[in-house]
Amino acid sequence: MSRKLPALLALSAAVSLALAGCSGTTDSPSTAAASDAASDTAAATQASSVTIEDNHGSVEVALPVQRAASTDNRTFEVLADWGVPLVAAPKQLIPSSITAYSGDDVADIGNHREPDLEALVAAEPDLVIVGQRFSDQYDSIAGLVPEAALLDLEPREGESFDAELKRQVTALGQVFGKEAEAAQLINDFDAALERARSAYDGSSKVMAVIVSGGEIGYSGPTTGRTWGPLFDLLGLEPALEVEASTDDHQGDDVSVEQIAESNPDWIFVMDRDAVISADDANYTPAKDVISNNAALGNVKAVTSNQIVYAPDDTYTNESIITYTEILNSIADAFEGAQN
């Protein structure tokens, strides 16, 4: 046997192993197709978006949102509970009960009366949620951050208020990947709404007021700030109806004597100053304003202690969470009166 044969055999074996190794790393057509599909799926996920119908039309929001900003008071507690960071917000309008956005990493864009939109621009948001007190700033914001998606989900006139609250939280859930959490908030709200509806006797007269600066303002059915929509949702019988009532943040100017003469069975109270002036030496809690007012001394709601107070932070936190708390408080009070 030639001494070259073992060497040739060894070389042949090595070549075979090398070829086998190459065939092991070379994708078959089906494997290659699967790999390409996976790559395409990953790329699609990275470049995905969601289309939201807001108050201005269809808005395409690129996902995931990297640098969100919000001006809408209805959103702060929801987003904080979901752990959604913000790069900019009107800090003066966020109640102290919400601490998630008080840090220096969140740019302060002032308030609706003196907005600092330059701070918003510097924060470089890719999404801005516009609404409530900043609704009038929509066009200005759109012009200053043209690359950002803008969402305006402020409840629309002529639409059912409960549906509008749910529309907003549903959209936010889609945008931030919190669909399950949004569904839970809606379920909680619906349960509280049904409790309050079922507990109302259908005939007791209700008066809603806003206490501000020690004065008692009237919050009328449908239009009144905070309380107005609840008259419609719960089918409440108003103790007093004032022509051309408004959604004024301090309530409408109605004399306490008129309120007393209407003799409501229930009084619903929102303490406007509790969230903006609680540290002021001259601040008087709404409970004291109501109880110390001589004109209301003989009103049934007062003598029967049938008064429901909204959460202290309601004035700057009218989210679906706040309304769930309010509705449960109303249900508790109505149910308690029946026992």
Side-chain angles (χ1 to χ4, degrees), residues 125 153 197 216 238 255:
L153 298 165
R197 278 175 176 163
I216 301 173
S255 72

Side-chain angles (χ1 to χ4, degrees), residues 180-226:
E181 290 84 348
Q184 185 60 58
L185 289 179
I186 290 171
N187 288 340
D188 292 345
F189 173 85
D190 283 340
L193 180 58
E194 182 56 34
R195 275 192 68 209
R197 278 175 176 163
S198 298
Y200 179 53
D201 62 15
S203 60
S204 292
K205 296 184 297 180
V206 179
M207 168 68 64
V209 300
I210 299 170
V211 176
S212 177
E215 301 294 328
I216 301 173
Y218 169 79
S219 178
T222 305
T223 58
R225 181 65 178 263
T226 302

Side-chain angles (χ1 to χ4, degrees), residues 164-187:
E164 290 296 278
L165 289 178
K166 290 187 276 189
R167 173 182 74 114
Q168 181 185 66
V169 78
T170 297
L172 294 178
Q174 293 174 321
V175 167
F176 295 106
K178 300 290 183 179
E179 289 93 340
E181 290 84 348
Q184 185 60 58
L185 289 179
I186 290 171
N187 288 340

Side-chain angles (χ1 to χ4, degrees), residues 92 94-97 271-285 312:
Q92 299 171 40
I94 301 177
S96 59
S97 56
D271 188 342
R272 177 179 177 269
D273 295 340
V275 72
I276 61 175
S277 304
D279 296 331
D280 191 320
N282 296 320
Y283 166 64
T284 302
D312 283 349

Side-chain angles (χ1 to χ4, degrees), residues 73-129:
N73 286 81
R74 297 187 199 277
T75 68
F76 296 130
E77 186 172 14
V78 172
L79 297 180
D81 283 0
W82 290 351
V84 174
L86 295 177
V87 297
K91 291 184 177 181
Q92 299 171 40
L93 300 179
I94 301 177
S96 59
S97 56
I98 301 169
T99 60
Y101 307 119
S102 59
D104 293 338
D105 56 328
V106 180
D108 186 0
I109 58 176
N111 62 43
H112 54 299
R113 293 188 178 87
E114 296 180 353
D116 184 359
L117 297 185
E118 292 182 3
L120 176 64
V121 174
E124 300 181 337
D126 56 3
L127 169 69
V128 181
I129 303 167

Side-chain angles (χ1 to χ4, degrees), residues 195 308-309 311 324-334:
R195 275 192 68 209
V308 177
Y309 291 89
T324 299
E325 294 173 358
I326 289 173
L327 288 167
N328 277 322
S329 293
I330 292 173
D332 289 343
F334 284 168

